[in-house]
Amino acid sequence: MNTVELAPHRFAGLLAPAVDRTFRAGMLAGRDGGGAELTQRYGGVAATGFLVDLRTRLAAPGGTVDGPGFAAITRYHDPAACQRAVDKQVAYGMLYRDPDGSLCATERGTAFLTELYQVHAEVTEELWAGHDERVSRLVAALGRLLSYALVLADEEGPLGGSAFVAMAPPYEPDGTPSGVLLLNRLGTLRYHRADAHAAAWAAAGHTASSVAALPAGPERLAIELETDRRAAGPYAALSAEERLTMLADLAALPG
């Protein structure tokens, strides 16, 4: 009988594009299914941009993203441009910025996020209709992965500038629909790989701008393989069979 060996580092490489595809499908459905209209009601992208990106942290009561975490989340963007964007969202009354650079949602920002969660609930229910068992299985697996990733992060000590630590765990109020749980857990897991990727290219002597310009070839491949190795830790929480099931479930979801 043939068996498929899917070690954590190999799984990390295979999972990343599947996670990206499913997450982007959900976010695109949210934009087209009411998110764009909602954004306009609150002042447009200039008012809401980072609230959408940081929604799973800032929607939580007292939820904040600290300065190093924000820098990690936006590591591929110009820092000055990001701060100007934050300035606008503060001026619109959507974000509050502490003197130390930490961000939190204002009352108006929180109202926007509450409505955004509702939009995502509606669109993911429609997008993934008929796949309830698959969605539930993915939600459970992702919950285990995120919990284990947080344990590993805690064991490694303070991780200043970690996008994952800044954003995990996602805010999941009682009654959050499975589709929203799936969307937001996928999004949070993407930050874990983003940190692994940043560590890999930094170890290879790159900056965010230089690695973005790096063409396909042996050097980029080496960075991707090192990213897989660094991202692999949480996947030890799943058996080989569960890893295969997770890939199959993601592949089967529409989007």
Side-chain angles (χ1 to χ4, degrees), residues 110-160:
T110 299
F112 167 77
L113 291 175
T114 298
E115 290 193 60
L116 183 62
Y117 264 59
Q118 293 170 349
V119 167
H120 286 166
E122 293 168 3
V123 299
T124 56
E125 181 180 15
E126 181 177 352
L127 179 64
W128 297 320
H131 296 270
D132 294 355
E133 184 177 347
R134 188 168 282 118
V135 168
S136 295
R137 196 160 48 228
L138 285 166
V139 166
L142 286 161
R144 289 166 59 194
L145 291 176
L146 293 178
S147 294
Y148 192 40
L150 281 168
V151 169
L152 294 177
D154 185 60
E155 290 176 350
E156 292 169 1
L159 295 177

Side-chain angles (χ1 to χ4, degrees), residues 10 16 66 75-76 93 103 120 151 159 169 207 217 222 224-225 250:
R10 289 191 59 219
D66 64 18
R75 57 170 61 97
Y76 296 106
L103 301 175
H120 286 166
V151 169
L159 295 177
T207 64
E224 293 301 323
L225 292 174
L250 286 169

Side-chain angles (χ1 to χ4, degrees), residues 73-96:
I73 291 162
T74 58
R75 57 170 61 97
Y76 296 106
H77 302 284
D78 176 60
C82 289
Q83 289 306 315
R84 289 194 296 271
V86 170
D87 289 342
K88 291 181 181 179
Q89 289 162 46
V90 170
Y92 272 101
M94 302 293 283
L95 284 177
Y96 176 77

Side-chain angles (χ1 to χ4, degrees), residues 17 32 49-50 64 68 95 97 120 123 131 135 146 149 159 162 166 171 173 180 183 191 205 218-219 251:
D32 295 342
F50 283 126
T64 63
L95 284 177
R97 178 170 48 201
H120 286 166
V123 299
H131 296 270
V135 168
L146 293 178
L159 295 177
S162 167
Y171 177 54
V180 178
L183 179 68
Y191 286 117
E219 187 178 6

Side-chain angles (χ1 to χ4, degrees), residues 15-55:
L15 184 68
V19 166
D20 285 349
R21 183 195 71 84
T22 308
F23 173 76
R24 293 180 191 280
M27 292 301 292
L28 180 62
R31 186 194 70 185
D32 295 342
E37 184 274 333
L38 172 64
T39 293
Q40 288 304 313
R41 282 200 285 111
Y42 277 87
V45 174
T48 65
F50 283 126
L51 276 166
V52 176
D53 294 335
L54 308 179
R55 67 192 181 284

